[in-house]
Amino acid sequence: MSTTTNTSRLGSLLMAPVHLLMRIIDVPLRSLQKATGISGMAAFFLAPNMLIFGIFVLLPLVINFVYSMTGGTAFFLAERNFVGAEQYSRLFTCGSYLDPMSCQEDAFWTAVGNTFWFVILQVTLMILVALVTALILNRDLAARSFWRAVFFFPVLLSPVVVGLIWKWILQRQGLLNFGLYQFGVEPYTWLTDRNWTFVATIGVSLWAHMGFYALILLAGLQAIPKDLYEAAEMDGTKPARVFWRITLPLLMPNLLVVVVLALIRAVQIFDEVYVLTGGGPGTSTFYLTQYIYETGFASALRNPGLAAAASILMGLVLVVLTLIQLGIGQRGEKKGKR
Amino acid sequence: MGVASRFILRRKGGKGWHWTDIVTWLWLVGGLIIMFGPAVWLVFSSFKTPAGLAEFPPSILPYVTQQATVQGYDKPLQLFEAKLPDGSTRVLAEVRRIGIMSQMVDPKTPGETIRVNINDRTPVRTLSFATENYTQPFVHFNFLRYLWNSVFVTVTATLITLIVNSMAAFALSKYEFRGRSVAMLIILATLMVPLSVIMVPLYSIISSLGLFNNLWGVILPTVATPTGVFILRQYMLTIPDELIDAARMDKASEWQIYWRIVLPLTAPALAVLAIFSVVWRWNDFLWPLIVLSRRELYTLQVGLSIYSGELNVQWHFILAMTVVTMIPVVLVFIFLQRFITTGIAGTGLK
């Protein structure tokens, strides 16, 4: 009893200067309210967020189009010269559209190709694993919230930490080689092998994000009415049939949302991979965001205009995916209303 | 114990083990190992000396071979348990190795050399935690500076996020005005504008504002989160308007209504947003990497990635710093994980 009063006393002591500050702020705001009226205060409350939002999100979004039509290495827009669609045509100049190496910007097309295969494989595996995990977590488990937390743990870790943990495991003297050594496999430097590194980026991003999607799917599974299952059981329906006829169709809206979310996030893959492999060896794990980052900032042949053009192309893909997601959401809402 | 045995013996019901029980059991135990194993391995590795890290096959726990200074030898010698031809075992110090034979001496009688086959000797190892991995980076790498930068960015950005987002959410939920739906639409539309699409022009804006190589350049672009506005607005919509009307009758100003009525009632949603924001800002990587190029301004994430990319990676320091970087997130996971999981399950946002 005494501890609670003590903490609340400490809390009010800490909050005292804040309350004083708020009271001082209230004085000019009252006169502002007198001048603008109550609806004017709405603009006041909205202003800080919209201002920051406008400067750091909307403005860059608009400038990006202008940027992509200018050339040179300068960053200030005033110092850049207008080149029209040159950056775009540079991205699309290819000897043969079937061979990325014949393109003028072969790095871009290598990144596009890598990202494409990464997205296809990672999202497919992600959905499968997340679905199985969600189905298992939806069973009548002891300590379900504990198990849910187990799969969620890596989601909170920073990409840099994720990258470093796995870089350490895939070392020559790392845990993976140690495990394989027990079965008589010789140690191998996984991160110097082009194919294994690609596989590693898929596996690591799967490990890091799977829990997030499993969580959304689990929420969807728990929303399916229990009486449907009870009715099926009474009719003696086989479990496989229950899955295909009840679970999957009713989970479909959540599943589609998860697919699109996973696609959107996979297209932008960067952080973990950058720490784990740096895009190498060679160009085997060089993905689109890294191309934009290096073309815009890091490379000696810096070309912000080209990076902007590439980022707009990537943005278009994301917009299409987002529209699909909104479409799904709307259809789901309509169904709900009916 | 009750929960554990219930878990182990759980069956689908009725008699015998159904195959799905076995799959469930394997999946959960496998998940436990795969999800936590790497992090546990990281923590154990972070307490090893560089020599311990270079070992193959590695030991799970940080063992160190014991050494002893023996009279007549400058350097400390490694201690081994040697099996002698007469069948007895003695603790000996190794002087040098020639082929498959090892020359050893007894630390008590350094005069006589004993030759032992290297297969008959095993190192004397003790559990030892190399805590210097954790203390040295503060001296060598300016680690305290990175820690401080990360804490500063995380705390400041979270506070500003809470204030700015809650004000906007208040305006969007409790006022009727022209352009309200447009404002809401713009905010929701940009929910899907990722950093990778706008980073080039954003960088030019940050540098023209003089915020390049400045922690505020890391903080400001992140604070007007659409997710935050969305979560808070949904919550504020449930606060009855009668409360606000009653306050107006009592001559409360709009600011007082926001500060003394709406904010305290929004506390649960604010807590969820605060947890999200702390994790987001602590984990941010690409944007700080672009904005910060001076070493003394690096956040933990940037500093870690730069040091781990250097040619001579000092893994013993990197691993320890990684563990420290992981600590706040692990604390959030242990104590606040259910707020996040219910938040995600409820809104589908991250």
Side-chain angles (χ1 to χ4, degrees):
Chain A
M1 193 63 208
S2 65
T3 44
T4 44
T5 48
N6 273 346
T7 36
S8 68
R9 204 174 292 160
L10 185 71
S12 58
L13 201 68
L14 282 173
M15 285 305 279
V18 181
H19 279 294
L20 186 69
L21 183 71
M22 290 301 153
R23 206 167 284 177
I24 295 168
I25 293 176
D26 191 41
V27 177
L29 286 182
R30 257 179 203 274
S31 28
L32 181 71
Q33 190 180 332
K34 243 173 221 158
T36 61
I38 286 179
S39 59
M41 288 305 283
F44 162 78
F45 282 115
L46 205 53
N49 198 69
M50 286 321 231
L51 196 69
I52 296 173
F53 206 63
I55 295 174
F56 297 112
V57 180
L58 291 185
L59 190 61
L61 207 56
V62 176
I63 296 185
N64 212 8
F65 289 99
V66 186
Y67 236 91
S68 69
M69 284 183 259
T70 58
T73 56
F75 264 107
F76 290 106
L77 212 49
E79 297 164 23
R80 300 177 58 80
N81 52 315
F82 185 78
V83 295
E86 195 183 278
Q87 307 285 17
Y88 292 96
S89 71
R90 179 167 169 187
L91 285 178
F92 284 103
T93 305
C94 287
S96 148
Y97 280 107
L98 294 174
D99 177 17
M101 296 319 282
S102 72
C103 297
Q104 191 184 355
E105 273 297 304
D106 55 331
F108 174 71
W109 288 104
T110 309
V112 169
N114 285 344
T115 310
F116 177 80
W117 287 115
F118 175 85
V119 169
I120 298 285
L121 291 168
Q122 194 245 27
V123 174
T124 312
L125 286 171
M126 184 76 90
I127 299 304
L128 281 176
V129 178
L131 183 61
V132 173
T133 307
L135 284 170
I136 284 178
L137 289 176
N138 194 39
R139 299 189 76 199
D140 185 19
L141 289 178
R144 182 194 287 154
S145 51
F146 166 76
W147 291 108
R148 194 178 62 178
V150 166
F151 289 95
F152 189 72
F153 169 67
V155 177
L156 292 178
L157 294 180
S158 90
V160 174
V161 168
V162 168
L164 286 173
I165 285 180
W166 283 95
K167 198 174 177 180
W168 179 241
I169 286 175
L170 298 171
Q171 289 280 313
R172 202 188 159 281
Q173 69 274 30
L175 192 60
L176 180 65
N177 278 333
F178 178 46
L180 292 174
Y181 182 76
Q182 312 297 320
F183 299 99
V185 181
E186 280 300 300
Y188 187 67
T189 47
W190 302 96
L191 292 176
T192 56
D193 181 305
R194 294 182 65 98
N195 298 326
W196 280 116
T197 311
F198 178 72
V199 173
T201 59
I202 291 177
V204 170
S205 63
L206 205 64
W207 180 80
H209 303 297
M210 193 277 289
F212 173 68
Y213 301 106
L215 201 66
I216 299 180
L217 290 178
L218 179 63
L221 285 174
Q222 287 177 338
I224 299 176
K226 292 273 178 296
D227 40 341
L228 284 177
Y229 290 112
E230 282 159 17
E233 202 177 333
M234 276 202 235
D235 292 347
T237 319
K238 285 212 176 84
R241 208 175 145 79
V242 171
F243 175 75
W244 290 110
R245 288 299 167 91
I246 298 176
T247 310
L248 209 55
L250 287 174
L251 191 64
M252 212 27 107
N254 289 66
L255 205 56
L256 286 173
V257 166
V258 164
V259 169
V260 178
L261 268 182
L263 282 172
I264 289 173
R265 300 256 299 267
V267 171
Q268 303 169 50
I269 183 79
F270 173 76
D271 300 7
E272 306 95 301
V273 173
Y274 185 71
V275 175
L276 184 69
T277 71
T283 54
S284 54
T285 55
F286 186 74
Y287 299 123
L288 205 45
T289 300
Q290 193 178 350
Y291 171 80
I292 298 170
Y293 167 68
E294 291 197 344
T295 313
F297 305 98
S299 116
L301 306 160
R302 195 175 73 188
N303 188 343
L306 195 63
S311 74
I312 285 177
L313 293 179
M314 181 164 139
L316 285 178
V317 174
L318 296 176
V319 165
V320 170
L321 290 173
T322 309
L323 288 179
I324 295 174
Q325 193 199 16
L326 287 178
I328 296 165
Q330 226 129 57
R331 236 181 48 195
E333 242 167 61
K334 267 182 205 150
K335 258 187 197 162
K337 271 176 196 155
R338 233 190 279 153
Chain B
M1 206 46 223
V3 172
S5 63
R6 259 207 302 149
F7 165 67
I8 293 168
L9 301 174
R10 174 118 244 148
R11 271 164 295 157
K12 204 186 166 206
K15 25 191 157 74
W17 284 64
H18 193 257
W19 66 270
T20 52
D21 298 320
I22 296 164
V23 171
T24 301
W25 202 87
L26 287 176
W27 195 271
L28 292 180
V29 173
L32 187 69
I33 293 167
I34 292 172
M35 294 295 152
F36 284 134
V40 173
W41 173 250
L42 170 81
V43 174
F44 282 143
S45 298
S46 74
F47 284 106
K48 290 180 179 176
T49 58
L53 289 175
E55 253 173 33
F56 191 88
S59 58
I60 302 289
L61 292 171
Y63 282 103
V64 165
T65 306
Q66 273 209 327
Q67 296 185 324
T69 13
V70 181
Q71 216 183 359
Y73 299 94
D74 299 339
K75 286 184 189 156
L77 302 176
Q78 296 201 315
L79 287 180
F80 287 86
E81 204 156 81
K83 216 191 284 168
L84 298 178
D86 59 3
S88 66
T89 50
R90 275 165 74 186
V91 175
L92 298 174
E94 185 175 73
V95 180
R96 65 175 73 84
R97 216 183 105 182
I98 304 160
I100 57 156
M101 294 309 279
S102 164
Q103 286 187 9
M104 308 189 110
V105 291
D106 192 319
K108 284 167 214 138
T109 52
E112 54 166 330
T113 6
I114 307 162
R115 285 157 58 84
V116 181
N117 189 301
I118 58 163
N119 293 323
D120 291 338
R121 78 202 202 328
T122 46
V124 177
R125 287 149 65 90
T126 46
L127 202 58
S128 151
F129 293 92
T131 46
E132 65 271 19
N133 291 350
Y134 284 84
T135 51
Q136 288 290 312
F138 287 101
V139 187
H140 284 312
F141 295 105
N142 224 349
F143 187 59
L144 203 60
R145 186 84 229 169
Y146 304 157
L147 192 64
W148 163 248
N149 290 341
S150 270
V151 170
F152 176 76
V153 167
T154 305
V155 171
T156 318
T158 300
L159 284 179
I160 300 179
T161 300
L162 289 178
I163 294 170
V164 168
N165 282 2
S166 65
M167 282 171 71
F170 178 50
L172 289 170
S173 61
K174 293 294 164 206
Y175 291 96
E176 296 284 342
F177 58 93
R178 260 191 305 137
R180 186 172 91 160
S181 43
V182 176
M184 201 58 215
L185 199 71
I186 291 174
I187 289 176
L188 281 182
T190 47
L191 205 60
M192 290 298 164
V193 179
L195 173 66
S196 40
V197 173
I198 56 168
M199 64 185 174
V200 177
L202 185 56
Y203 174 83
S204 79
I205 288 170
I206 286 292
S207 23
S208 33
L209 291 174
L211 293 176
F212 177 64
N213 262 332
N214 186 325
L215 289 179
W216 287 99
V218 176
I219 294 169
L220 284 178
T222 61
V223 294
T225 60
T227 319
V229 177
F230 185 73
I231 294 177
L232 295 178
R233 177 176 176 268
Q234 295 303 92
Y235 200 89
M236 285 180 188
L237 284 174
T238 64
I239 297 174
D241 288 340
E242 288 78 16
L243 266 177
I244 292 168
D245 291 335
R248 281 195 190 127
M249 299 280 236
D250 291 342
K251 299 241 161 59
S253 72
E254 297 303 304
W255 177 258
Q256 278 176 323
I257 293 172
Y258 161 74
W259 174 249
R260 310 207 59 156
I261 297 174
V262 174
L263 265 200
L265 287 174
T266 320
L270 285 171
V272 170
L273 178 60
I275 298 168
F276 269 109
S277 175
V278 165
V279 174
W280 287 334
R281 299 295 81 90
W282 185 262
N283 289 348
D284 268 344
F285 173 60
L286 177 55
W287 185 240
L289 181 70
I290 292 170
V291 176
L292 308 172
S293 74
R294 289 220 316 266
R295 287 203 162 213
E296 68 269 25
L297 289 172
Y298 285 167
T299 58
L300 274 181
Q301 314 287 347
V302 176
L304 259 182
S305 88
I306 300 271
Y307 283 123
S308 71
E310 277 173 357
L311 275 181
N312 287 318
V313 184
Q314 293 178 295
W315 270 109
H316 53 299
F317 290 147
I318 296 285
L319 295 174
M321 290 197 278
T322 309
V323 171
V324 175
T325 310
M326 211 167 71
I327 288 173
V329 172
V330 170
L331 290 179
V332 167
F333 174 75
I334 294 172
F335 295 110
L336 305 169
Q337 170 266 133
R338 66 200 167 88
F339 290 103
I340 297 192
T341 45
T342 48
I344 290 175
T347 59
L349 298 170
K350 190 203 163 195

